[in-house]
């Protein structure tokens, strides 16, 4: 019986000793907001009042030497149970805490960018799925031969070591 009690105490104490909580860490430093849980997370950094940088990461947080911009950008951060919303002068960025799914809206509420679900990290690949408006096109770097009738990557699989994509929206 004593052995069973010690084993149960060890099982209960392990999560406490590991420092991991079920609540994601949400912290602000300058123009950057970091949302993390364990070894995964997302960093949102304001570059200018109308532009943000989104960096998803796995296997521990990255260390940045410098901010992308020295210009201070005013923004507010609102945390709810399931999400964090970061609101600037022209944009609002909402991050779902469950899977780091991103939605970007204008100050007027117009949807600019929405992920269908958070990024998936697989061996040697990262899969991003965006929701597009009807008629919206996606352009960017693509290693596939340009044999398609349109330069848009909509509905296509795009692979690149250094992905860069933008929308016609």
């Amino acid at each position: 019986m004593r052995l069973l009690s010690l084993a149960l105490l060890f099982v209960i104490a392990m999560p406490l000793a590991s420092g991991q909580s079920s609540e994601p860490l949400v912290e602000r430093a300058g123009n950057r907001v970091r949302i993390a849980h364990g070894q995964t997370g997302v960093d949102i950094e304001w570059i200018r009042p109308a532009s943000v940088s989104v960096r998803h990461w796995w296997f521990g947080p990255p260390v940045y030497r410098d901010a992308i911009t020295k210009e201070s950008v005013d923004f507010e951060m609102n945390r709810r149970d399931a999400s964090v919303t970061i609101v600037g002068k022209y944009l609002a960025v909402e991050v779902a805490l469950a899977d780091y799914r991103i939605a970007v809206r204008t100050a007027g509420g117009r949807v600019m960018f929405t992920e269908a679900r958070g990024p998936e990290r697989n061996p040697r690949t990262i899969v991003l799925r965006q929701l597009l408006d009807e008629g919206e096109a996606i352009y960017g770097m693509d290693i596939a031969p340009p044999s398609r009738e349109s330069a848009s990557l909509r509905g296509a699989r795009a692979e690149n070591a250094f992905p860069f994509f933008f929308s016609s929206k």
Side-chain angles (χ1 to χ4, degrees), residues 54-72:
V54 177
R55 297 178 186 139
H56 291 281
W57 47 268
W58 295 264
F59 311 115
V63 176
Y64 304 109
R65 284 188 264 182
D66 296 312
I68 293 174
T69 182
K70 303 286 186 214
E71 175 188 346
S72 178

Side-chain angles (χ1 to χ4, degrees), residues 4-65:
L4 179 61
S5 298
L6 287 174
L8 284 174
L9 181 60
F10 180 74
V11 169
I12 292 170
M14 276 299 287
L16 298 174
S18 70
Q20 293 252 353
S21 71
S22 60
E23 283 293 309
L25 166 77
V26 179
E27 62 184 8
R28 177 180 178 167
N31 289 348
R32 187 177 296 134
V33 174
R34 173 167 283 172
I35 303 168
H37 191 264
Q39 296 293 303
T40 62
V42 63
D43 291 337
I44 311 292
E45 184 171 356
W46 289 92
I47 300 168
R48 291 184 188 85
S51 61
V52 295
S53 166
V54 177
R55 297 178 186 139
H56 291 281
W57 47 268
W58 295 264
F59 311 115
V63 176
Y64 304 109
R65 284 188 264 182

